[in-house]
C-alpha cells in the first residue's frame, strides 16, 4: 500500500508542475479565438458573402447585355453562266470571301417588375444571411462557454480535491505520530492511508476529466488539441435582470423571430414576382455591324462589297397563355407565404415558452447557488471546529473524515451551482437576443 501511495504522489507532483506552467485563457481571448477560427462560423460567413454577391447590381437584371460576334468564310466553286447574248462563260475555282463583325446590345425596359422584386428579395435574403451568421455565432458562443465553464468547474474541483488530499496527508502523519506514541491503534493509520489513496484516485480522475474537457474546448476554438491553458474561474452575473424586459427584448431581438420575419418578406416578394408573369415584357435592341465580301468570279455583278451600319429596335412580348404555368406559380407563391406566416406564429409561441423557461431556470439556479453558498459556509465552520476537536482528541477519525467529506461535497456543489447559474443566464440572454451585448 505504501508503494501505491508513493506512485500516486509522484504522478500528482508531475501534473501539478505541468498545471503551474499553463497560461490563463481569459473569456475575451476565448471569444476572439472562436470568432476567428471556428469552422462553423467561417462557413456561415462565406454563405453570407454568396448572398451579398447575389444581392449586387450585377445579379439584378437591370444592366444591359452586350455581345460581340465575328465570322469569316471562304467559298470556292466552279460556275457556268449564259449571258443575254447567248454567250457561255465558265469560272473554275471562283473564290468568294465573306467577313462580318457586330456588337449587339439588349436591354429589358420592362418585365412586369419581376426583376425589381427579385432584387428586393435578394436584398432581404442577404440581410437574413447576416442574421444567420449572428445565430451561428450565438450558438457557438453558448457552446463555447458551456465547455469553458466546465473547464473552470473541473479546475475548481481539482483544486478542492488537492486540498482534501493535503488534509488527508496531514491526518495520516498525525495518525502515524499518535500510533508511535501509543495514542491510537494501527487501524487509524490504515484508515488514513485508505483515505489518502481514495483522495489521490479522485484527484487523478478529476485531472483526467479536466484534460479531456480542455481538448473539447480546443476543438471548438479550432486550435491544437494538446494546447494547455487555465480557465478563468471568476463568474459575474448581469445585474438587475427583469422578466418583463427580457420578454420585450425577445420580441424585438430574438434571432429566430427576425429570420422568420425576413422569410415573410421574401415570400411576399415571391408573390409579386409570380404576378409579373401576367404582364408583358418590353425590350430594346441595338447593334453595330460590319460586312465585307470579295468575289473573283467573272460572272459576279459586284466584285467587292463592304457595308457598315447601326440598327435598333423595340420588341414587346406578352405571354397571353402558357398552359397555366404562371397561374400555378402564383397560387403556390401565396400558399408558401401562408405557410411561412403559420411558421412565424409557431416560432413566436416557442420563443415565448423559451424565455419563460429560461427565466425560471435562471431564477431557480440563482436560488440554488445562494443556498449552496450558505451550505458551504456552514460546512467550513463545522470542519474548522471538528479539526480543532480532532487535534485535541475529542472526535474520532471517522467523524473527522465525515466532516471533511461534507466540506468537499459542499465545495463541489457550490462550484457546480455557480456555473449552472451562469449558463442559465447565458441561455436566457440568447433567447432574449442580448447574448452578444453583455460582458462575459
Amino acid at each position: 500500500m505504501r508503494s501505491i501511495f508513493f506512485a500516486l504522489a509522484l504522478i500528482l507532483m508531475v501534473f501539478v508542475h505541468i498545471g503551474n506552467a499553463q497560461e490563463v485563457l481569459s473569456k475575451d481571448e476565448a471569444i476572439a479565438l472562436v470568432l476567428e477560427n471556428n469552422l462553423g462560423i467561417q462557413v456561415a460567413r462565406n454563405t453570407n458573402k454568396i448572398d451579398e454577391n447575389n444581392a449586387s447590381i450585377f445579379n439584378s437584371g437591370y444592366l444591359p447585355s452586350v455581345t460581340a460576334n465575328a465570322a469569316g468564310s471562304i467559298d470556292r466553286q466552279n460556275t457556268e453562266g449564259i449571258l443575254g447574248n447567248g454567250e457561255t462563260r465558265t469560272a473554275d475555282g471562283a473564290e468568294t470571301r465573306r467577313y462580318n463583325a457586330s456588337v449587339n446590345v439588349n436591354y429589358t425596359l420592362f418585365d412586369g417588375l419581376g426583376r425589381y422584386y427579385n432584387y428586393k428579395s435578394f436584398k432581404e435574403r442577404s440581410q437574413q444571411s447576416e442574421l444567420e451568421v449572428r445565430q451561428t455565432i450565438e450558438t457557438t458562443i453558448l457552446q463555447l462557454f458551456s465547455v469553458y465553464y466546465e473547464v473552470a468547474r473541473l479546475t475548481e474541483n481539482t483544486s478542492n480535491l488537492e486540498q482534501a488530499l493535503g488534509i488527508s496527508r496531514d491526518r495520516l502523519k498525525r495518525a502515524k505520530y499518535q500510533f508511535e506514541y501509543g495514542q491510537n491503534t494501527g487501524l487509524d493509520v490504515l484508515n488514513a492511508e485508505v483515505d489518502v489513496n481514495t483522495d489521490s484516485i479522485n484527484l487523478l480522475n478529476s485531472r483526467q476529466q479536466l484534460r479531456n474537457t480542455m481538448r473539447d474546448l480546443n476543438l471548438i476554438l479550432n486550435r491544437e488539441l494538446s494546447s494547455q491553458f487555465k480557465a478563468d474561474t471568476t463568474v459575474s452575473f448581469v445585474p438587475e435582470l427583469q422578466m418583463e424586459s427580457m420578454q420585450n427584448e425577445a420580441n424585438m431581438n430574438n434571432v429566430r423571430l427576425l429570420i422568420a420575419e425576413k422569410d415573410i418578406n421574401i415570400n411576399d416578394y415571391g408573390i409579386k414576382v409570380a404576378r409579373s408573369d401576367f404582364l408583358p415584357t418590353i425590350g430594346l435592341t441595338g447593334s453595330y455591324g460590319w460586312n465585307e465580301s470579295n468575289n473573283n468570279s467573272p460572272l459576279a455583278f459586284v466584285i467587292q462589297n463592304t457595308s457598315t451600319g447601326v440598327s435598333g429596335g423595340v420588341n414587346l412580348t406578352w405571354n397571353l397563355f402558357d398552359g397555366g404555368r404562371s397561374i400555378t406559380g402564383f397560387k403556390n407563391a401565396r400558399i408558401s407565404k401562408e405557410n411561412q406566416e403559420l411558421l412565424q406564429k409557431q416560432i413566436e409561441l416557442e420563443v415565448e415558452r423559451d424565455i419563460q423557461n429560461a427565466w425560471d431556470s435562471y431564477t431557480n439556479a440563482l436560488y440554488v447557488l445562494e443556498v449552496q453558498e450558505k451550505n458551504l459556509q456552514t460546512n467550513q465552520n463545522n470542519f474548522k471546529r471538528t479539526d480543532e476537536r480532532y487535534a485535541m482528541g475529542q472526535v474520532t477519525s471517522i467523524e473527522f473524515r465525515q466532516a471533511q467529506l461534507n466540506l468537499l461535497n459542499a465545495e463541489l456543489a457550490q462550484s457546480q451551482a455557480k456555473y449552472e447559474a451562469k449558463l442559465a443566464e447565458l441561455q436566457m440572454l440568447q433567447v432574449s437576443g442580448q447574448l452578444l451585448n453583455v460582458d462575459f
Side-chain angles (χ1 to χ4, degrees):
M1 181 172 292
R2 293 178 182 274
S3 61
I4 296 175
F5 169 73
F6 287 121
L8 291 174
L10 180 61
I11 295 174
L12 289 174
M13 289 176 62
V14 173
F15 284 151
V16 168
H17 175 73
I18 295 175
N20 291 334
Q22 299 171 2
E23 296 182 356
V24 176
L25 176 65
S26 68
K27 302 180 184 71
D28 291 337
E29 290 173 344
I31 293 175
L33 286 173
V34 79
L35 291 178
E36 180 180 359
N37 298 333
N38 184 266
L39 298 178
I41 293 177
Q42 292 181 30
V43 170
R45 285 173 172 164
N46 286 337
T47 302
N48 177 236
K49 291 178 181 179
I50 293 175
D51 291 321
E52 287 179 351
N53 292 336
N54 290 335
S56 69
I57 190 66
F58 298 106
N59 192 47
S60 65
Y62 276 106
L63 299 179
S65 63
V66 181
T67 59
N69 300 310
S73 65
I74 299 177
D75 184 16
R76 292 177 179 271
Q77 294 184 0
N78 297 326
T79 61
E80 180 179 316
I82 300 175
L83 302 179
N85 58 7
E87 180 184 355
T88 300
R89 291 186 181 181
T90 61
D92 295 331
E95 184 178 280
T96 302
R97 296 175 179 265
R98 297 182 181 89
Y99 307 98
N100 65 81
S102 65
V103 177
N104 307 293
V105 179
N106 290 279
Y107 182 71
T108 300
L109 192 63
F110 178 77
D111 66 344
L113 298 178
R115 62 182 174 180
Y116 172 76
Y117 291 119
N118 269 325
Y119 182 64
K120 300 286 282 186
S121 177
F122 286 139
K123 286 292 186 182
E124 288 290 329
R125 174 55 197 154
S126 177
Q127 296 173 10
Q128 185 185 56
S129 182
E130 292 178 2
L131 292 172
E132 291 172 351
V133 173
R134 172 189 154 189
Q135 185 179 42
T136 302
I137 291 175
E138 288 183 356
T139 302
T140 305
I141 286 181
L142 193 61
Q143 180 187 15
L144 165 70
F145 278 105
S146 66
V147 181
Y148 184 92
Y149 285 132
E150 180 65 10
V151 172
R153 185 185 72 83
L154 290 171
T155 299
E156 288 190 348
N157 288 1
T158 301
S159 177
N160 291 330
L161 289 170
E162 288 174 351
Q163 295 177 6
L165 178 59
I167 293 172
S168 295
R169 286 173 175 169
D170 290 340
R171 174 184 155 212
L172 176 59
K173 292 179 181 179
R174 187 181 304 174
K176 288 180 178 179
Y177 290 147
Q178 291 175 344
F179 176 73
E180 291 175 359
Y181 289 100
Q183 296 179 0
N184 62 15
T185 64
L187 182 61
D188 289 335
V189 176
L190 293 176
N191 288 335
E193 288 183 347
V194 169
D195 292 337
V196 167
N197 291 334
T198 299
D199 292 343
S200 299
I201 292 172
N202 291 336
L203 180 56
L204 285 174
N205 290 334
S206 179
R207 287 190 179 278
Q208 180 61 48
Q209 293 177 4
L210 178 58
R211 292 195 302 274
N212 292 343
T213 309
M214 283 182 176
R215 295 187 188 99
D216 293 337
L217 185 59
N218 287 329
L219 179 63
I220 297 174
L221 299 176
N222 189 27
R223 65 177 189 171
E224 180 63 38
L225 296 180
S226 60
S227 299
Q228 298 293 314
F229 61 91
K230 288 183 179 179
D232 184 5
T233 58
T234 303
V235 172
S236 58
F237 295 92
V238 179
E240 300 179 357
L241 292 179
Q242 300 294 329
M243 173 61 185
E244 183 177 355
S245 63
M246 290 294 98
Q247 183 71 59
N248 294 334
E249 292 290 345
N251 293 334
M252 293 185 297
N253 298 315
N254 180 272
V255 69
R256 291 184 62 201
L257 290 177
L258 296 177
I259 290 176
E261 182 180 349
K262 292 298 180 184
D263 278 327
I264 293 290
N265 295 339
I266 291 172
N267 278 271
D268 187 54
Y269 288 131
I271 293 175
K272 295 177 179 178
V273 170
R275 187 183 291 122
S276 69
D277 290 338
F278 299 120
L279 299 176
T281 299
I282 301 174
L284 301 177
T285 62
S287 67
Y288 174 82
W290 168 81
N291 294 273
E292 179 179 307
S293 64
N294 294 289
N295 192 339
N296 64 359
S297 173
L299 299 178
F301 180 74
V302 178
I303 302 301
Q304 181 175 353
N305 179 46
T306 302
S307 64
T308 58
V310 177
S311 64
V314 178
N315 57 70
L316 182 146
T317 303
W318 197 339
N319 195 349
L320 298 179
F321 184 70
D322 60 358
R325 180 188 60 81
S326 298
I327 296 175
T328 303
F330 179 70
K331 290 181 178 179
N332 290 341
R334 294 179 64 179
I335 295 173
S336 295
K337 182 182 178 182
E338 181 181 354
N339 284 341
Q340 194 58 50
E341 289 174 344
L342 294 174
L343 290 175
Q344 185 184 37
K345 291 180 181 179
Q346 178 67 27
I347 292 174
E348 289 174 353
L349 291 174
E350 291 176 356
V351 169
E352 183 178 358
R353 175 207 61 190
D354 292 344
I355 193 66
Q356 292 182 7
N357 289 347
W359 178 261
D360 288 344
S361 299
Y362 170 66
T363 54
N364 183 72
L366 286 181
Y367 175 75
V368 171
L369 175 59
E370 182 181 358
V371 173
Q372 292 293 358
E373 287 177 343
K374 292 180 180 179
N375 184 49
L376 175 60
Q377 184 65 42
T378 300
N379 279 278
Q380 287 174 339
N381 294 334
N382 177 65
F383 177 76
K384 182 179 180 181
R385 289 193 295 268
T386 302
D387 186 37
E388 293 172 352
R389 295 178 63 189
Y390 180 70
M392 295 183 294
Q394 297 178 353
V395 297
T396 65
S397 61
I398 296 177
E399 293 173 324
F400 177 84
R401 177 63 175 176
Q402 187 61 50
Q404 179 191 9
L405 292 177
N406 290 340
L407 174 60
L408 177 61
N409 291 333
E411 290 172 339
L412 300 181
Q414 185 272 342
S415 178
Q416 181 172 354
K418 176 175 66 173
Y419 295 112
E420 286 182 350
K422 184 59 181 179
L423 287 176
E425 179 189 77
L426 295 180
Q427 290 171 352
M428 183 185 61
L429 291 171
Q430 181 193 27
V431 177
S432 65
Q434 299 300 307
L435 181 63
L436 304 181
N437 301 328
V438 297
D439 295 328
F440 296 94

